[in-house]
Amino acid sequence: MYIFDSVKKEKREFIPLQEGKVTLYVCGPTVYDNAHLGHAKSALVFDLLTRILNANGLNVVYARNITDIDDKIIKKAAVQNKDIKEITEFYTNEFYKEMESIGVARPNIEPKATESLNAMFEMIQRLIDAGHAYTTQDGDIYFDTKSDSDYLTLSKRVQDEGDKQERVKSSTLKKNPADFALWKSVKDDTLTFESPFGSGRPGWHLECSAMIEKHLAQPQLAFGVDIHGGGADLLFPHHENEAAQTRCSSNHELANYWMHNGFVNINGEKMSKSLGNSFFLKDALKEYDGEVVRFYLLSTHYRSNFNFNTEDLATAKKRLDKIYRLKKRLFGLALHSDTTEFQNNLLEALNDDMNISTALALIDEMISNANEILDTAGKHKALKKETLSNLAYIEKILGFGVKNPFEYFQFGIDEEAKSAIATLIKQRNTAKEEKNFEESDRLREEILSFGVTLMDTPSGTFWEKI
RNA sequence: GGUGCCAUCGCCAAGUGGUAAGGCCGCAGCCUGCAAAGCUGCUAUCCCCAGUUCAAAUCUGGGUGGCACCUCCA
């Protein structure tokens, strides 16, 4: 398998630190609001990565954190006049539910900042002892970026002392504008923790380093984890700072491979609070099955910038529909076959830095071939076996086609409408038997008004949500 | 201002030295009572200019046009 390492900026063959095992850490959400499409994209990308690694016979230990200590959370709690914990628990659950709806499996480990404080304290102490951190007069503790000669080697930024730094009105007590907080001494009591350094709260960058050390790292290895991932915006300063913390407090570098997924834009613009164009996952899920959203967000290479729009989402649905129609065609059959050439090719494509486009092209080709043969030789048992096996493989490795195909095509149609449609179909079939096509066409128009389409097949008349 | 990324058919999107995958849309046909679905066929020389090479969408240089990060951010 090959992975593009966004720090070395090249595609590298993936060789795990320990044979047969992979440690993966991905920066998770700060739980103060619902997940937007960007969160979904990131979760989806690393869900896919995990599946591919598994398919290669590797045992993946995947950790994704929940940041439940943050100024934004405090603000939200204040605005809504709610308890901090109420906010974080609510949005953590929302996150889990939303991720589940797009087929993202839960990571093995989901550490929370509030549950990892001791690990952070230990790391701060070691940084202080080693001369990499200092305490200011007002009790804040900063990482001394000047003390790390490898600082900025990750993002390959040029240290500039110039006026650029001036625009950030940071604490004048910092030795260097680039220094970042490990511990913020806070006097208010909204969200503070007792520590050996007094009361306050930890800096954001610290939690990831500490969690990796606590849950995934082994001191004897050259890196804390095999793969560290996150959104492209995290490379600097977040990952740069994480890397510095780990480098200076332990005897190894943080990660062997770095992976950063591209951004999701809305109509060509970055999603942001200030632009007011955030697109929440839950809104997309009102219109489309979660798997359609999954398919759409995954259908473009993970490193590319992704421009979200509803037209392309609808197009993605049409492509996913083809998988489900083939599944519907073979519904109820329980046949098995050995690994097929298609499956080998699919994995090979995904092993090349997750080349999803090639993978989807292979799937389309497989579907076409299967449909063609099924059209002409309906009793082709060997092909059916092979096709079912291929569909099962697609489900497992990509998470496409996991639902009951009939239910999939009925997304958004309520029970009342369903029974009404069923009645009308019966009436129409009667009319058809009587060769009363005028009446059957009239009934079809009536059925279509439910926003569905009809298909007459040898095994009966079916409808699908358009 | 600094750093980096990108520019391929109407739209989405692979390919990164060997002569342009795939999907959507469109057109023609098969199938169908008619449809829908499915199937078949058809549709680009890769932003511009110059260079390297037997050979470039792919490498180099120069343009033009987008975008991202440098501040919390997936």
Side-chain angles (χ1 to χ4, degrees), chain A residues 329-330 333 369-385 387:
Chain A
R329 243 184 137 163
L330 300 169
L333 297 178
N369 286 339
N371 275 324
E372 186 183 1
I373 299 172
L374 251 24
D375 277 353
T376 52
K379 291 195 170 118
H380 201 308
K381 194 172 176 186
L383 175 89
K384 287 181 178 174
K385 269 186 175 179
T387 304

Side-chain angles (χ1 to χ4, degrees), chain A residues 153-164:
Chain A
T153 53
L154 202 76
S155 58
K156 298 182 180 57
R157 255 157 232 284
V158 180
Q159 182 76 270
D160 81 72
E161 312 280 338
D163 48 1
K164 286 298 124 208

Side-chain angles (χ1 to χ4, degrees), chain A residues 24-29 35-51 62-66 94-107 110 229-232 234 259-262 264 281 293-294 297-298 302 354 398:
Chain A
L24 168 67
Y25 182 91
V26 176
C27 294
H36 60 227
L37 293 172
H39 294 111
K41 171 87 179 178
S42 178
L44 247 10
V45 163
F46 293 102
D47 179 68
L48 177 58
L49 176 67
T50 305
R51 290 166 186 256
Y62 174 16
R64 184 184 58 205
N65 68 307
I66 296 283
E94 287 285 286
F95 182 75
Y96 289 155
K97 275 192 284 181
E98 288 163 352
M99 291 305 121
E100 190 185 353
S101 71
I102 54 172
V104 173
R106 291 280 285 264
E110 299 177 296
L234 259 28
M259 293 176 76
H260 291 93
N261 62 276
V264 178
L281 177 56
V293 179
R294 175 188 181 88
L297 288 174
L298 238 26
Y302 75 94
M354 302 206 271
L398 287 160

Side-chain angles (χ1 to χ4, degrees), chain A residues 134 142-146 151 174-181 241:
Chain A
Y134 57 90
Y142 284 97
F143 182 91
D144 184 355
T145 51
K146 280 273 190 283
Y151 191 68
K174 281 203 277 189
K175 284 187 188 172
N176 185 301
D179 293 354
F180 55 92
N241 293 351

Side-chain angles (χ1 to χ4, degrees), chain A residues 17 52 69 151 179 216 221 233 270 294 332 409 445:
Chain A
L17 296 167
I52 296 168
I69 303 173
Y151 191 68
D179 293 354
L216 299 174
L221 299 176
D233 57 328
K270 178 184 170 170
R294 175 188 181 88
F409 282 116
E445 286 307 313

Side-chain angles (χ1 to χ4, degrees), chain A residues 56-95:
Chain A
N56 281 286
L58 296 161
N59 179 28
V60 184
V61 183
Y62 174 16
R64 184 184 58 205
N65 68 307
I66 296 283
T67 299
D68 58 356
I69 303 173
D70 188 274
D71 290 347
K72 292 190 285 291
I73 298 170
I74 297 169
K75 262 184 217 160
K76 185 101 178 186
V79 168
Q80 298 194 182
N81 194 26
K82 283 181 180 157
D83 193 59
I84 299 273
K85 213 172 168 73
E86 202 180 329
I87 296 288
T88 58
E89 281 179 359
F90 177 79
Y91 287 113
T92 300
N93 285 330
E94 287 285 286
F95 182 75

